[in-house]
Amino acid sequence: MGATDAQLPIIRLDGRDALGAFALSTEARWNQNEADWQFFLTRGVVFGVRDHDGRLIATAALLPYTESEAWISMVLVTENRRRRGVATRLVDACLEAARRRGLTTWLDATPAGAMVYGPLGFAPTIELRRLRLERAASPAPCPALVEGNLGELITRDISAMGFDRRDFLPEVAGRPGSRLLSTRDAMALVRDGRTARHIGPVFADNPDSALALVTAIVASEGEAHLIDAVAIHAGFLDGLMRAGWTIERPFQRMRFGNASQATLEHPFAVAGPEFG
């Protein structure tokens, strides 16, 4: 069976594959929804493998953000076909597509994934912690929330990422259910996911302001939330856990190639491992 899997061709996917791809991420209990997959399939380069019956059994996505920077994510293999080299082949396809375009590639890896990507030439950058909150513990005094400024979000995101994601952020902010929220000295993007609302990126002048903004968001929505916090902000992380958030897993951000521009600030939370 392993040799058979190794011979299955890698194909390029398109928007018609959204449901099959969504089934894979659902099986893996990931938080992506159909809108996320449509974005990858229409804006990115998504590779896949089908079994002999035509069923999609694996994916990997390359999402170019600029002419020099791209994100690799959505590396998924259905459970009964894992550990047969399919994921490695798909990541290699993404890297080859990036090489042809002259792109530096980034990804957020689990600890197990980091052990695979390191030998391929990926270098570690920042560490992340994914946290989940099922519901705000109790009403607490919160700062007033106002609609955030999309231009300011893009500017701060460029400062944090080192490259421009102005095609990505407006699309996500404009989805039904998305909210771009701000207080006097903090701002965050909130969007729908399959199992929970996702908060990020989050930018703030200090940890207390970031924590106050996140607290106000969850109090205003009353739903389950996920956040991918940047580990260097220890005070922010501690504050989240004191408020009832629990860490689900760590991620290691990694880069293949040279960054085109140095980052000028660290966000308090990122847009998610699928988007960076």
Side-chain angles (χ1 to χ4, degrees):
M1 181 64 73
T4 301
D5 283 0
Q7 295 167 1
L8 293 172
I10 293 174
I11 58 175
R12 172 81 181 267
L13 305 181
D14 59 31
R16 294 169 295 183
D17 296 296
L19 287 178
F22 179 59
L24 283 176
S25 57
T26 300
E27 178 193 26
R29 297 181 177 85
W30 290 7
N31 195 49
Q32 289 78 29
N33 57 23
E34 290 185 49
D36 294 325
W37 273 111
Q38 285 292 349
F39 186 85
F40 280 106
L41 290 162
T42 57
R43 306 288 185 92
V45 179
V46 184
F47 296 104
V49 173
R50 299 187 190 281
D51 64 16
H52 292 295
D53 296 323
R55 186 175 70 96
L56 188 64
I57 62 169
T59 61
L62 176 72
L63 182 60
Y65 278 130
T66 67
E67 294 181 353
S68 60
E69 312 280 348
W71 212 264
I72 293 176
S73 62
M74 309 312 294
V75 181
L76 286 156
V77 181
T78 193
E79 186 172 5
N80 66 352
R81 311 300 277 266
R82 294 173 188 167
R83 293 175 290 279
R84 298 176 183 175
V86 179
T88 300
R89 292 175 59 213
L90 288 168
V91 172
D92 286 343
C94 290
L95 288 173
E96 175 58 21
R99 186 195 63 80
R100 291 197 302 268
R101 298 186 185 196
L103 298 169
T104 291
T105 50
W106 302 71
L107 55 78
D108 289 336
T110 62
M115 295 178 66
V116 175
Y117 298 128
L120 294 177
F122 282 88
T125 59
I126 62 174
E127 293 185 5
L128 307 171
R129 301 288 184 269
R130 164 156 288 194
L131 298 96
R132 185 181 185 99
L133 181 70
E134 291 301 330
R135 198 170 298 275
S138 61
C142 297
L145 294 172
V146 298
E147 184 177 350
N149 181 279
L150 183 59
E152 182 183 351
L153 177 71
I154 292 171
T155 297
R156 295 199 71 164
D157 190 70
I158 292 172
S159 178
M161 298 295 294
F163 52 88
D164 195 332
R165 300 195 294 178
R166 70 179 64 242
D167 289 336
F168 160 66
L169 293 170
E171 192 278 342
V172 175
R175 292 179 187 176
S178 291
R179 304 169 75 194
L180 177 54
L181 298 169
S182 178
T183 59
R184 183 175 57 84
D185 47 11
M187 66 187 315
L189 180 59
V190 191
R191 59 184 172 87
D192 282 340
R194 185 182 66 86
T195 67
R197 300 269 285 165
H198 189 277
I199 303 175
V202 176
F203 298 102
D205 293 344
N206 56 69
D208 289 342
S209 297
L211 187 60
L213 172 61
V214 170
T215 300
I217 289 170
V218 298
S220 72
E221 296 195 341
E223 302 177 45
H225 287 82
L226 291 173
I227 192 168
D228 294 299
V230 178
I232 196 173
H233 296 300
F236 177 61
L237 265 173
D238 290 344
L240 290 173
M241 288 186 286
R242 286 197 301 271
W245 292 77
T246 57
I247 293 179
E248 286 196 338
R249 66 180 64 89
F251 289 104
Q252 175 67 65
R253 181 155 294 182
M254 308 184 81
R255 184 185 70 243
F256 187 93
N258 297 320
S260 60
Q261 180 177 322
T263 57
L264 301 178
E265 68 171 310
H266 289 301
F268 282 86
V270 302
E274 67 271 52
F275 293 118

